[in-house]
Amino acid sequence: MPFTPFHFGAGAAVHAASPRRVSFLAFCVANVITDVEPLYYSLHHRWPVHRILHTFVGANLSAAATLLLFVVALRLAQRVRLPDLFGWQSLRPWPVATGAWLGTYSHIVLDGLNHRDMRPAVESLCLVLALAGMFLLEWRRRRAAAAAG
């Protein structure tokens, strides 16, 4: 996509389908974080402009940064009065994480179709899937052990 807000349409559709499980705000913030990188390289006339944050590994970094930003801001809001624009203070971590990860992954896929200077690495996707598989297997193992007593 040539400009970050175009990505927000996908987020609006996903949020509309599952508003309690997907934060549209986190989806948008994650997309903005992802596009800081090409903005920086464009302003400095350095190509390619799509680099690490426009890979699947980088998508995880952008999503994690979004979630961390949310958690830090939420804790800060408990001590200092912060404006509650868009009701962000009532959001919970899981919808924020879901929105952030869907935002960054959809961003990479859409940009991969649109920009010549980037093609998300298949190796990166395989690594992410391997990590997700290991996490799921460990989660299932612990769940079975807890059920067994």
Side-chain angles (χ1 to χ4, degrees):
M1 297 287 162
F3 190 56
T4 304
F6 286 127
H7 290 279
F8 298 171
V14 173
H15 175 72
S18 189
R20 292 183 182 178
R21 291 193 169 97
V22 180
S23 166
F24 179 62
L25 183 59
F27 187 100
C28 294
V29 169
N31 274 279
V32 170
I33 289 172
T34 300
D35 267 349
V36 166
E37 176 189 54
L39 174 63
Y40 172 82
Y41 288 117
S42 293
L43 291 173
H44 289 88
H45 305 288
R46 296 175 61 196
W47 281 261
V49 296
H50 297 97
R51 298 186 187 192
I52 187 69
L53 294 182
H54 280 76
T55 65
F56 290 107
V57 171
N60 285 318
L61 296 173
S62 293
T66 302
L67 184 57
L68 180 64
L69 179 65
F70 166 74
V71 170
V72 168
L74 199 57
R75 287 192 180 163
L76 183 62
Q78 293 172 349
R79 296 186 182 123
V80 178
R81 188 163 194 218
L82 296 176
D84 192 19
L85 299 173
F86 307 110
W88 70 269
Q89 292 180 23
S90 64
L91 295 172
R92 296 291 152 240
W94 278 115
V96 170
T98 303
W101 264 276
L102 288 173
T104 58
Y105 272 71
S106 66
H107 191 114
I108 301 312
V109 170
L110 292 171
D111 273 10
L113 296 171
N114 197 48
H115 295 289
R116 290 184 182 182
D117 71 332
M118 68 164 288
R119 294 289 178 249
V122 174
E123 294 86 1
S124 295
L125 178 59
C126 290
L127 176 63
V128 168
L129 292 174
L131 292 172
M134 288 187 293
F135 174 78
L136 183 59
L137 287 171
E138 180 62 17
W139 176 78
R140 292 181 72 186
R141 185 190 68 75
R142 288 181 185 206
R143 188 172 170 204

